[in-house]
Amino acid sequence: MKTNRIIVFTLLLMLPLASVLANGGSDSAETASKEMVNISWHQIGNPQEELPVVMEEVNKYLGDKFGINLDITVHGWGDYTTKMQTMHAAGESFDLAFTSGWANPFIPTASKGAYLPLDNLLKDYGKDILSILPAKYWDAAKIDGKIMAIINYQIMSNQRGIAFVKEYADKYGFDPDKVTQNKQIFDFFQQIVDNEEGVVPYFNLKEGILPDLNPQEETRYFDDIISEEDRYIGVYLTDTTPTVVNTLISPEYRRDVESVREMLSAGYIPSDFTSLNLDEEVKGREYASFIMTRIKPGVEGENLVRYGKDTIVSGLYKPYTSTGSASSTMTAIGVNSQHPEKAMELYNAVYSDKYLYNLLVFGIKDVHYTDAGNGYVNLDTDKSYGLPAWQFGDQFNAYLMPGQDPDVWQQTMDLDASAVVSPLLGFVFDPSPVRNEIAACGAINAEYKISVYYADNLDEAMADFNKAMEEAGIDRIITEAQKQIDAWLATK
Amino acid sequence: MPNLLSKRKRGLLDHRGLWLLALPALVVVVLMQYMPLPGLIIAFKNYNYGLGPWKSSWSGFSNFTYLFTTGVAARITYNTIKWNFLFIVLSHSLAMLVALLMNELSRRSIKIYQTIFFFPYFLSWVIAAYLGFALLSGDRGIINTLLTRMGRDTVIWYAQPDAWRVILPLAYLWKHFGYIAIIYFTALIGLDPQLFEAADIEGANRIQKVFRISIPQLKQLVVILVMIDIGRIFRSDFGLFFQFTRNSSTLYPVTDVIDTYVYRALLTLGDPGMAAAAGLYQSVVALVLVLLSNKLITKLDEESRVF
Amino acid sequence: MSKRVNSSNFFIHILLGAIAVLCILPIVFVVSISFSDEQDVLKNGYAAFPRVFSLEAYRMMLKSPGQILHSYLVTTFVSVVGSVIGLTLSSMVAYVITRKDFKASRFITLAVFFPLLFQAGLVPFYIYVVKFLKLKDTLTILIIPYLVIPWLVLLLKGYMSKIPKSIIESGWLDGAGEVSIFFRIVAPMTKSGLATVGLFYFLNYWNDWWLSLLFISDKAKIPLQLLLQRILSNAEFMRSTLFQSVGVDIDLTKLPGDTARMATALLVAGPILFAFPFIQRFLVRGITVGSIKG
């Protein structure tokens, strides 16, 4: 009997608790005055404790200037895509949202009608954006000829590289800058295998990314058409009459696979490298080099922070600019947005207003950062705050952080200027006519591209691979891609 | 009084009471499970975010074709059914054995075993995957370290499909047998003690009592549990097949199941219509299998049938 | 039951003991790793006892204890309310479907079993909850979807079908209605079954992060699982090379590694691991309220 009463009592206690829990967080947002326009913005990042404090400051500024009350929601890195996909599917209203090839994927969502076409809005309310971002990049955000997202201005080219640990490079007199052939790198790896017990010569990890190792190449062979992961079709970056090819039957691919197999059998890379996580592994092991999927000016300083190692980074090929690299961070306006004009007006301000930009990225001066002079900031304060800088318009507006070169932004722009331009820059593939084939080919590709590294008989394995891809309809994808590319060329 | 009893037997008065007991649950089921079902229509649509589920254009069965076009289709279907069937047989046998053994012991030691057997259920597959990796990793795994010490060649476990024919069932059993054992054990201690006393009088020994009383008494429960598992036979424990295998593609010939294939296939597209199509396909097959097994059970033993 | 001194008990203990070791060993490792120094674990691998003892993982996870404590509160509330109501509703309907003399019982069984086979799937369910029920960001949506879980209802049916018909008939003779027969006779007789199923309900609520991932963004309503899941999945995402290509500058040493991961698992599972006999008793008493009077 006693326990029964305790249970009833507990349940009764739970009821008021429910209302406490239910009301806990809802009293902060409603204070803005009536005439203000509310703009919601969904972002990816680490949810920030200090966000409300920063937003108060931001809204003071925005309220006076534009009559806008901005509400930023930061979803976690791992949650963002799921959250946005379900919101799109339910047709929920939002004003601004981050989109890209790697989170909240741009092409499928934009071509399925999740975003508003922006051409007219940009002309009327986004003049500064149009003047800042070089015109050649805009095509990368177009679907059916209409701009569906605003491209953020940051590094626009892509270049893969290897980071060599300085300690070992120096010890064996290896100079990464002088490398012209795979063999020279392999010789260095061999010295590590022979002389450094327990040191991994080369971390080249994560399935899905082909372990390029071709420093002698002028440029990377192919531009991918569907996505970075689905590189089974592409066009040669040097092909000016872009012809879509099956990359899996190309001699270049064959050579890549053979070089991986050679590295595996010689022990240059961990035997189960495809099931390892780069950043996880490098924390606990000794290693002499590792892959860098995107290098940019100042990357050696970043490596020092990330991995605690002095490295010499050497590019594997010339940087190149493609639709994928140009559209790697963008912001879209939701199709059900209540105030698309105001949203564009706001984004125009974020893009061009240095004060607003840095307030959003770094927070409030002397609270979240201190001024270190010469455009540098010091983030070492009691309260930590920080949203990804490439998520807000023009990254070249950003304050400099310790370790960055004073002219890092200029270096970045120079790098972009020197980059090889893909013949497909500005072409956006619409996957919907062949979505079944892409689903099937994607699944087959994910399987075989790894198993060919381990197969006893490479010829047989490659033949199986190609046969399976044909069954899955790779030829229909190639035909469709070629058709779309030809149509795109005709409009230029 | 006798009048009342006969009325009840004719099922007049009691219906209200029984409906009253069933109604709240039925309301919840209708509200949470049945009402969203019309949304499955998107399996037959070209889903457009701007238009929503109803206004999007029809696409016939085209959302389904990626499930069947390649040679993989046969493999994933076979693997899914094979593994689930094996898991059902193994986990229920082991759980039953453990439950019967526990039933022979004193209450105090049972409490300890019961708690311990339940432990793995609390660890998510993510955590289990890390522990598994510590055992099986190529260069530094505990097993390979032991092999080296014994002077044997090491094995790249995550590139060795055949090994996973054993590893998968072991991992599944480790995680799941405990709670099935608890289900059976609970049923055993709920049995009428008079049954056992009667057997004692007849002079039956422990083993005879197990076979003549305990197991037959659990028959209906086994049927229900197996039927539930058959209802899920076309779906897989995603954590086991995806996370625990580290999604290592060299293992696919053994570990690839419908759910992992669909996940992989839709990674680039994220099409809600195609995802719904896969779910619907799994449901329809499961429905057929459940109806068939119910028929079979009814034929074998009318008493045990589920519906 | 009478004490049976038998040598075969010894063998049973050996067998069950061996299985128990297999079940407990991974937990030992989890505990050990969570109290180990991250660098040591990375260098020398896992061990059953911490080689270098460290509380760093817990310090990191509990850096802002306010949110974690609040999330414990949310999870406890949802689990207690959900499992008490859920167990009550489910056992009531389970009793009804054991009554083969009740014509509608077969229909009700089918109605409960069908959702086990057919689910609407992520997108339709999300649209339904957000657009029709308008339950986004409420505690209600964390509770009602799991109130009646088909397979647990059928499991309860399995436990209840052992009750002899004569007992129910004697209830009729006493003039009791079906409702009171259920609460006064059937429920107390299936106590152990209710305890087990109630525990499953409780764990189902406790372990869920899926519903909250979909429907909760208000900080005040984030349950424990989602909070910790988020810490881990964010770290996981940042580790992937995919992320490297975006070029974000984050100090990797600040990401939770193995030790934090294991600490997370214990922070989630720990409390119920030790409270679960109590939870069982609590739930059984809850549902058999009033039975003692009868």
Side-chain angles (χ1 to χ4, degrees), chain C residues 241-281:
Chain C
T241 16
L242 187 72
F243 193 78
Q244 200 190 18
S245 61
V246 188
V248 194
D249 324 323
I250 286 161
D251 185 354
L252 280 174
T253 54
K254 287 193 183 140
L255 295 180
D258 284 353
T259 58
R261 207 170 289 132
M262 301 303 164
T264 309
L266 285 179
L267 284 175
V268 172
I272 24 172
L273 222 52
F274 295 102
F276 100 70
F278 168 78
I279 296 165
Q280 279 193 314
R281 228 172 302 146

Short mmCIF file of all heavy atoms in Angstrom, two decimals, chain C residues 241-281:
data_model
loop_
_atom_site.label_atom_id
_atom_site.label_comp_id
_atom_site.label_asym_id
_atom_site.label_seq_id
_atom_site.Cartn_x
_atom_site.Cartn_y
_atom_site.Cartn_z
N THR C 241 37.28 12.57 -43.34
CA THR C 241 38.12 13.34 -44.26
C THR C 241 37.29 14.27 -45.12
O THR C 241 37.75 15.27 -45.58
CB THR C 241 38.94 12.41 -45.16
OG1 THR C 241 38.37 11.13 -45.10
CG2 THR C 241 40.37 12.39 -44.75
N LEU C 242 36.05 13.88 -45.32
CA LEU C 242 35.11 14.73 -46.02
C LEU C 242 35.20 16.13 -45.44
O LEU C 242 35.22 17.13 -46.14
CB LEU C 242 33.70 14.16 -45.79
CG LEU C 242 32.55 14.78 -46.55
CD1 LEU C 242 32.64 14.38 -48.00
CD2 LEU C 242 31.23 14.31 -45.97
N PHE C 243 35.26 16.15 -44.14
CA PHE C 243 35.25 17.41 -43.44
C PHE C 243 36.54 18.17 -43.65
O PHE C 243 36.57 19.38 -43.75
CB PHE C 243 35.03 17.14 -41.97
CG PHE C 243 34.70 18.36 -41.21
CD1 PHE C 243 33.45 18.88 -41.27
CD2 PHE C 243 35.67 18.99 -40.47
CE1 PHE C 243 33.14 20.02 -40.58
CE2 PHE C 243 35.36 20.13 -39.79
CZ PHE C 243 34.09 20.65 -39.84
N GLN C 244 37.62 17.39 -43.73
CA GLN C 244 38.92 18.01 -43.95
C GLN C 244 38.87 18.86 -45.22
O GLN C 244 39.48 19.91 -45.31
CB GLN C 244 39.96 16.90 -44.09
CG GLN C 244 41.38 17.35 -43.86
CD GLN C 244 42.36 16.26 -44.26
OE1 GLN C 244 42.02 15.34 -44.98
NE2 GLN C 244 43.57 16.39 -43.80
N SER C 245 38.11 18.37 -46.21
CA SER C 245 38.12 19.05 -47.48
C SER C 245 37.40 20.38 -47.44
O SER C 245 37.56 21.21 -48.31
CB SER C 245 37.52 18.16 -48.57
OG SER C 245 36.20 17.84 -48.25
N VAL C 246 36.57 20.59 -46.44
CA VAL C 246 35.93 21.89 -46.33
C VAL C 246 36.91 22.89 -45.70
O VAL C 246 36.78 24.08 -45.84
CB VAL C 246 34.66 21.80 -45.47
CG1 VAL C 246 33.90 23.10 -45.52
CG2 VAL C 246 33.79 20.68 -45.97
N GLY C 247 37.87 22.34 -45.03
CA GLY C 247 38.90 23.19 -44.49
C GLY C 247 38.48 23.99 -43.28
O GLY C 247 38.61 25.20 -43.25
N VAL C 248 37.94 23.35 -42.29
CA VAL C 248 37.61 24.05 -41.08
C VAL C 248 38.73 23.80 -40.08
O VAL C 248 39.30 22.73 -40.05
CB VAL C 248 36.29 23.56 -40.48
CG1 VAL C 248 35.82 24.52 -39.43
CG2 VAL C 248 35.28 23.41 -41.56
N ASP C 249 39.03 24.79 -39.32
CA ASP C 249 40.19 24.67 -38.45
C ASP C 249 39.74 24.37 -37.04
O ASP C 249 39.27 25.24 -36.33
CB ASP C 249 40.98 25.97 -38.49
CG ASP C 249 40.95 26.56 -39.89
OD1 ASP C 249 40.99 25.76 -40.84
OD2 ASP C 249 40.84 27.78 -40.01
N ILE C 250 39.90 23.14 -36.65
CA ILE C 250 39.50 22.77 -35.31
C ILE C 250 40.62 21.99 -34.67
O ILE C 250 41.27 21.16 -35.32
CB ILE C 250 38.22 21.93 -35.35
CG1 ILE C 250 37.05 22.83 -35.68
CG2 ILE C 250 37.98 21.22 -34.04
CD1 ILE C 250 35.87 22.10 -36.17
N ASP C 251 40.84 22.27 -33.41
CA ASP C 251 41.87 21.54 -32.69
C ASP C 251 41.36 20.14 -32.40
O ASP C 251 40.46 19.94 -31.61
CB ASP C 251 42.18 22.28 -31.38
CG ASP C 251 43.32 21.62 -30.66
OD1 ASP C 251 43.76 20.55 -31.12
OD2 ASP C 251 43.76 22.17 -29.65
N LEU C 252 41.97 19.17 -33.07
CA LEU C 252 41.48 17.79 -32.95
C LEU C 252 41.60 17.25 -31.55
O LEU C 252 40.83 16.39 -31.14
CB LEU C 252 42.27 16.89 -33.90
CG LEU C 252 41.82 16.96 -35.33
CD1 LEU C 252 42.75 16.15 -36.18
CD2 LEU C 252 40.42 16.42 -35.44
N THR C 253 42.58 17.74 -30.82
CA THR C 253 42.77 17.19 -29.47
C THR C 253 41.58 17.52 -28.59
O THR C 253 41.39 16.92 -27.55
CB THR C 253 44.04 17.77 -28.83
OG1 THR C 253 43.94 19.20 -28.90
CG2 THR C 253 45.27 17.31 -29.58
N LYS C 254 40.76 18.48 -29.03
CA LYS C 254 39.61 18.83 -28.20
C LYS C 254 38.39 17.97 -28.51
O LYS C 254 37.38 18.08 -27.84
CB LYS C 254 39.26 20.31 -28.39
CG LYS C 254 40.27 21.22 -27.72
CD LYS C 254 39.75 22.63 -27.66
CE LYS C 254 40.81 23.55 -27.05
NZ LYS C 254 40.87 24.83 -27.75
N LEU C 255 38.47 17.17 -29.55
CA LEU C 255 37.33 16.31 -29.86
C LEU C 255 37.33 15.10 -28.94
O LEU C 255 38.37 14.56 -28.61
CB LEU C 255 37.44 15.83 -31.31
CG LEU C 255 37.32 16.90 -32.38
CD1 LEU C 255 37.44 16.28 -33.74
CD2 LEU C 255 36.01 17.62 -32.24
N PRO C 256 36.11 14.66 -28.57
CA PRO C 256 36.08 13.49 -27.70
C PRO C 256 36.63 12.26 -28.41
O PRO C 256 36.27 11.97 -29.53
CB PRO C 256 34.59 13.31 -27.38
CG PRO C 256 33.86 14.17 -28.33
CD PRO C 256 34.80 15.20 -28.85
N GLY C 257 37.50 11.57 -27.76
CA GLY C 257 38.07 10.36 -28.33
C GLY C 257 37.47 9.14 -27.68
O GLY C 257 36.35 9.19 -27.15
N ASP C 258 38.21 8.06 -27.68
CA ASP C 258 37.72 6.81 -27.12
C ASP C 258 37.27 6.96 -25.67
O ASP C 258 36.22 6.45 -25.29
CB ASP C 258 38.83 5.75 -27.19
CG ASP C 258 38.97 5.22 -28.59
OD1 ASP C 258 38.13 5.57 -29.44
OD2 ASP C 258 39.91 4.45 -28.84
N THR C 259 38.07 7.65 -24.87
CA THR C 259 37.72 7.71 -23.45
C THR C 259 36.39 8.42 -23.25
O THR C 259 35.55 7.97 -22.47
CB THR C 259 38.82 8.45 -22.65
OG1 THR C 259 38.97 9.75 -23.20
CG2 THR C 259 40.13 7.71 -22.73
N ALA C 260 36.19 9.52 -23.98
CA ALA C 260 34.93 10.25 -23.83
C ALA C 260 33.75 9.44 -24.34
O ALA C 260 32.66 9.47 -23.78
CB ALA C 260 35.01 11.57 -24.59
N ARG C 261 34.01 8.69 -25.40
CA ARG C 261 32.95 7.87 -25.96
C ARG C 261 32.47 6.85 -24.93
O ARG C 261 31.28 6.64 -24.72
CB ARG C 261 33.51 7.15 -27.18
CG ARG C 261 32.50 6.78 -28.20
CD ARG C 261 33.18 6.30 -29.45
NE ARG C 261 33.84 7.38 -30.15
CZ ARG C 261 35.09 7.33 -30.61
NH1 ARG C 261 35.81 6.29 -30.45
NH2 ARG C 261 35.61 8.34 -31.23
N MET C 262 33.41 6.22 -24.27
CA MET C 262 33.06 5.21 -23.27
C MET C 262 32.39 5.86 -22.06
O MET C 262 31.45 5.32 -21.49
CB MET C 262 34.29 4.43 -22.84
CG MET C 262 35.00 3.72 -23.98
SD MET C 262 33.91 2.59 -24.89
CE MET C 262 34.84 2.30 -26.38
N ALA C 263 32.90 7.04 -21.69
CA ALA C 263 32.27 7.75 -20.57
C ALA C 263 30.81 8.07 -20.91
O ALA C 263 29.93 7.95 -20.06
CB ALA C 263 33.04 9.03 -20.27
N THR C 264 30.58 8.44 -22.15
CA THR C 264 29.21 8.73 -22.59
C THR C 264 28.32 7.52 -22.42
O THR C 264 27.22 7.61 -21.87
CB THR C 264 29.20 9.10 -24.08
OG1 THR C 264 30.16 10.11 -24.29
CG2 THR C 264 27.85 9.59 -24.51
N ALA C 265 28.82 6.38 -22.88
CA ALA C 265 28.02 5.16 -22.77
C ALA C 265 27.65 4.89 -21.33
O ALA C 265 26.52 4.50 -21.02
CB ALA C 265 28.79 3.98 -23.36
N LEU C 266 28.60 5.14 -20.41
CA LEU C 266 28.31 4.87 -19.01
C LEU C 266 27.38 5.91 -18.41
O LEU C 266 26.53 5.58 -17.58
CB LEU C 266 29.62 4.83 -18.21
CG LEU C 266 30.43 3.55 -18.43
CD1 LEU C 266 31.71 3.60 -17.63
CD2 LEU C 266 29.61 2.32 -18.04
N LEU C 267 27.52 7.15 -18.83
CA LEU C 267 26.63 8.18 -18.31
C LEU C 267 25.18 7.87 -18.69
O LEU C 267 24.26 8.14 -17.95
CB LEU C 267 27.02 9.55 -18.85
CG LEU C 267 28.26 10.19 -18.22
CD1 LEU C 267 28.62 11.48 -18.94
CD2 LEU C 267 28.01 10.46 -16.75
N VAL C 268 25.00 7.29 -19.88
CA VAL C 268 23.65 6.97 -20.32
C VAL C 268 23.14 5.72 -19.62
O VAL C 268 22.05 5.70 -19.06
CB VAL C 268 23.62 6.74 -21.85
CG1 VAL C 268 22.27 6.21 -22.28
CG2 VAL C 268 23.93 8.02 -22.57
N ALA C 269 23.94 4.65 -19.67
CA ALA C 269 23.44 3.36 -19.22
C ALA C 269 23.58 3.18 -17.71
O ALA C 269 22.78 2.50 -17.08
CB ALA C 269 24.17 2.25 -19.95
N GLY C 270 24.62 3.80 -17.14
CA GLY C 270 24.94 3.59 -15.73
C GLY C 270 23.76 3.63 -14.79
O GLY C 270 23.47 2.65 -14.10
N PRO C 271 23.03 4.75 -14.77
CA PRO C 271 21.95 4.88 -13.79
C PRO C 271 20.93 3.75 -13.86
O PRO C 271 20.55 3.20 -12.83
CB PRO C 271 21.30 6.22 -14.17
CG PRO C 271 22.35 6.97 -14.88
CD PRO C 271 23.20 5.97 -15.58
N ILE C 272 20.50 3.37 -15.06
CA ILE C 272 19.49 2.31 -15.09
C ILE C 272 20.08 0.94 -14.84
O ILE C 272 19.42 0.06 -14.32
CB ILE C 272 18.68 2.23 -16.41
CG1 ILE C 272 19.46 2.81 -17.54
CG2 ILE C 272 17.33 2.83 -16.24
CD1 ILE C 272 18.79 2.57 -18.86
N LEU C 273 21.34 0.78 -15.22
CA LEU C 273 21.99 -0.51 -14.99
C LEU C 273 21.84 -0.89 -13.52
O LEU C 273 21.56 -2.03 -13.17
CB LEU C 273 23.47 -0.38 -15.34
CG LEU C 273 24.12 -1.51 -16.10
CD1 LEU C 273 23.33 -1.84 -17.33
CD2 LEU C 273 25.55 -1.14 -16.46
N PHE C 274 22.00 0.11 -12.66
CA PHE C 274 21.96 -0.20 -11.24
C PHE C 274 20.57 -0.02 -10.65
O PHE C 274 20.25 -0.56 -9.61
CB PHE C 274 22.99 0.65 -10.50
CG PHE C 274 24.38 0.29 -10.92
CD1 PHE C 274 25.09 1.06 -11.82
CD2 PHE C 274 24.95 -0.91 -10.47
CE1 PHE C 274 26.35 0.69 -12.25
CE2 PHE C 274 26.21 -1.29 -10.91
CZ PHE C 274 26.91 -0.49 -11.79
N ALA C 275 19.73 0.72 -11.37
CA ALA C 275 18.39 0.96 -10.80
C ALA C 275 17.37 -0.03 -11.33
O ALA C 275 16.23 -0.01 -10.93
CB ALA C 275 17.95 2.39 -11.12
N PHE C 276 17.80 -0.93 -12.21
CA PHE C 276 16.73 -1.64 -12.90
C PHE C 276 15.91 -2.62 -12.08
O PHE C 276 14.72 -2.72 -12.31
CB PHE C 276 17.15 -2.08 -14.32
CG PHE C 276 17.57 -3.48 -14.57
CD1 PHE C 276 16.66 -4.53 -14.54
CD2 PHE C 276 18.88 -3.73 -14.95
CE1 PHE C 276 17.07 -5.81 -14.85
CE2 PHE C 276 19.28 -5.01 -15.27
CZ PHE C 276 18.38 -6.06 -15.21
N PRO C 277 16.46 -3.26 -11.04
CA PRO C 277 15.54 -4.04 -10.18
C PRO C 277 14.48 -3.14 -9.53
O PRO C 277 13.32 -3.50 -9.44
CB PRO C 277 16.47 -4.61 -9.12
CG PRO C 277 17.84 -4.54 -9.70
CD PRO C 277 17.85 -3.39 -10.63
N PHE C 278 14.91 -1.94 -9.15
CA PHE C 278 13.98 -1.02 -8.52
C PHE C 278 12.91 -0.57 -9.52
O PHE C 278 11.74 -0.50 -9.18
CB PHE C 278 14.73 0.20 -7.97
CG PHE C 278 13.82 1.32 -7.58
CD1 PHE C 278 13.12 1.26 -6.38
CD2 PHE C 278 13.64 2.42 -8.41
CE1 PHE C 278 12.26 2.29 -6.02
CE2 PHE C 278 12.78 3.45 -8.06
CZ PHE C 278 12.09 3.38 -6.86
N ILE C 279 13.36 -0.30 -10.76
CA ILE C 279 12.42 0.14 -11.79
C ILE C 279 11.35 -0.93 -12.00
O ILE C 279 10.16 -0.64 -12.07
CB ILE C 279 13.15 0.40 -13.13
CG1 ILE C 279 14.13 1.55 -12.97
CG2 ILE C 279 12.17 0.71 -14.24
CD1 ILE C 279 15.13 1.66 -14.10
N GLN C 280 11.79 -2.18 -12.07
CA GLN C 280 10.85 -3.27 -12.27
C GLN C 280 9.79 -3.30 -11.17
O GLN C 280 8.60 -3.35 -11.44
CB GLN C 280 11.58 -4.61 -12.28
CG GLN C 280 12.22 -4.91 -13.62
CD GLN C 280 12.66 -6.35 -13.71
OE1 GLN C 280 13.27 -6.85 -12.78
NE2 GLN C 280 12.37 -7.00 -14.81
N ARG C 281 10.26 -3.23 -9.92
CA ARG C 281 9.33 -3.30 -8.80
C ARG C 281 8.35 -2.14 -8.86
O ARG C 281 7.16 -2.29 -8.68
CB ARG C 281 10.12 -3.27 -7.49
CG ARG C 281 9.67 -4.36 -6.53
CD ARG C 281 10.59 -4.43 -5.33
NE ARG C 281 11.97 -4.68 -5.69
CZ ARG C 281 13.00 -4.19 -5.02
NH1 ARG C 281 12.81 -3.40 -3.97
NH2 ARG C 281 14.24 -4.47 -5.38
#
